[in-house]
Amino acid sequence: MQLKRIAQAKLPTPWGTFTIVGFKELATSKDHVAMVYGDITQQPILTRIHSECLTGDALFSLRCDCGFQLQAALQQIAKTGNGVLLYHRQEGRNIGLLNKIRAYALQDEGLDTVEANHQLGFAADERDFTICADMLKLLNIDQIKLLTNNPEKIRVLEQAGIKIVERIPLEVGENPNNEHYLETKAQKMGHILHLHPLNKDEKS
Ligand SMILES: Nc1nc2c(ncn2[C@@H]2O[C@H](COP(=O)(O)OP(=O)(O)OP(=O)(O)O)[C@@H](O)[C@H]2O)c(=O)[nH]1
Ligand SMILES: [Zn+2]
C-alpha cells in the first residue's frame, strides 16, 4: 500500500453533495483525493480516474478534453446515484505542469503530444495508475465500471487486483483546438475514440 487515508468532508457541487476523501502518498507526501457519491458498498461502482490538468480543469483550456470530462463524470456519477471520481494528481501525464507547458510550446511548433514528451526526455505517458488501485482499496472498492477511453488504465487496475466489470466511454469536449490532440491519442496512445474531424468540404 502506497497511500494513507487522511481526512474526509462533505463537498457540495452543482451536481450534488459528494464526500471528498484525502490521501497521502507514503513515499513522497504527495496528496490525491477521491470524490465519493452515495452508497459505494453496492459493487461494481461507477468510477472515473481523472488525471490532474490545471489548464483544462481550472483554467478553461480547449487544448484538451479534461475539463469537459471532469464535469461530465461528476454529473454522470451524481445522476447514477453512487460512484467515485479519483482525482489523480499526476499533472501532464506526470511530467508536471511546467514540463507540460514546455510540451505545449513544442506542440505550437508542430510536434504532436507524444513527440513533444519524447523531445523533453519523457515517455509518452509517465503516469502510475497503481496509486488509483490503492485509493480504491482504501475505499473498500474492488469491482468497478470504469469511465474511460484508455485501455491502459484497465490493464494496470486489473493487474493490481481491481475487477473491471464494464468500460463506459467518456467522449466529450471535442473541438477545433483539440482535434489533432485527440487524433494523436487515438492513433499513437491506443485510446478508443470516435472522432468527428471537421471537414471544411463537408456539406452537412
Ligand atoms: N504531457 C502532456 N500531458 C498532457 C497533454 N495534454 C493533456 N495532458 C495531460 O493528460 C492527462 C489526461 O490524460 P488523457 O490522455 O487526456 O486521458 P486519459 O486520462 O489517459 O484517458 P481517458 O480516461 O480516456 O480520459 C492530464 O494529466 C493532462 O494534464 C500534453 O499535450 N502533454
Ligand atoms: Zn487536459
Side-chain angles (χ1 to χ4, degrees):
M1 177 54 61
Q2 306 167 80
L3 298 173
K4 191 173 173 195
R5 186 170 167 161
I6 302 291
Q8 69 175 60
K10 282 194 181 132
L11 203 77
T13 73
W15 309 285
T17 298
F18 286 72
T19 299
I20 185 166
V21 183
F23 303 90
K24 193 177 276 293
E25 273 185 51
L26 301 173
T28 60
S29 287
K30 186 158 189 170
D31 44 45
H32 301 268
V33 296
M35 293 280 278
V36 174
Y37 194 84
D39 175 9
I40 56 165
T41 59
Q42 299 294 314
Q43 302 197 29
I45 292 291
L46 181 61
T47 300
R48 168 70 183 157
I49 294 176
H50 186 89
S51 298
E52 180 171 5
C53 178
L54 181 82
T55 45
D57 299 345
L59 302 176
F60 312 102
S61 169
L62 297 176
R63 286 191 83 125
C64 59
D65 51 353
C66 303
F68 301 96
Q69 287 184 315
L70 179 59
Q71 281 210 18
L74 290 172
Q75 199 166 14
Q76 195 164 331
I77 288 166
K79 201 172 151 199
T80 301
N82 56 358
V84 56
L85 180 137
L86 305 177
Y87 195 85
H88 181 222
R89 301 201 58 207
Q90 296 196 345
E91 166 68 66
R93 300 198 296 268
N94 210 17
I95 68 175
L97 177 61
L98 300 183
N99 284 321
K100 185 176 80 172
I101 296 172
R102 290 191 176 103
Y104 278 167
L106 291 170
Q107 288 169 68
D108 290 342
E109 305 289 315
L111 272 63
D112 69 32
T113 183
V114 170
E115 292 163 347
N117 259 39
H118 288 162
Q119 172 109 348
L120 293 170
F122 298 108
D125 194 339
E126 296 264 349
R127 285 175 293 178
D128 175 5
F129 296 117
T130 65
I131 296 280
C132 303
D134 280 354
M135 276 193 265
L136 290 172
K137 286 172 191 168
L138 289 171
L139 294 167
N140 295 318
I141 295 171
D142 59 9
Q143 287 192 39
I144 65 173
K145 291 183 272 185
L146 188 62
L147 275 164
T148 189
N149 312 314
N150 181 354
E152 180 64 9
K153 288 183 179 173
I154 295 172
R155 194 187 64 76
V156 176
L157 286 187
E158 289 211 311
Q159 215 166 39
I162 305 294
K163 187 169 165 47
I164 316 286
V165 175
E166 187 183 345
R167 179 188 80 86
I168 302 172
L170 185 60
E171 300 188 42
V172 287
E174 186 182 346
N175 73 73
N177 301 281
N178 65 21
E179 195 182 0
H180 181 58
Y181 170 69
L182 295 175
E183 258 169 41
T184 305
K185 289 211 299 189
Q187 284 166 12
K188 291 193 171 178
M189 304 186 77
H191 287 233
I192 306 158
L193 290 168
H194 305 87
L195 300 173
H196 310 91
L198 298 175
N199 182 344
K200 293 191 186 73
D201 300 322
E202 223 169 61
K203 297 277 186 304
S204 57

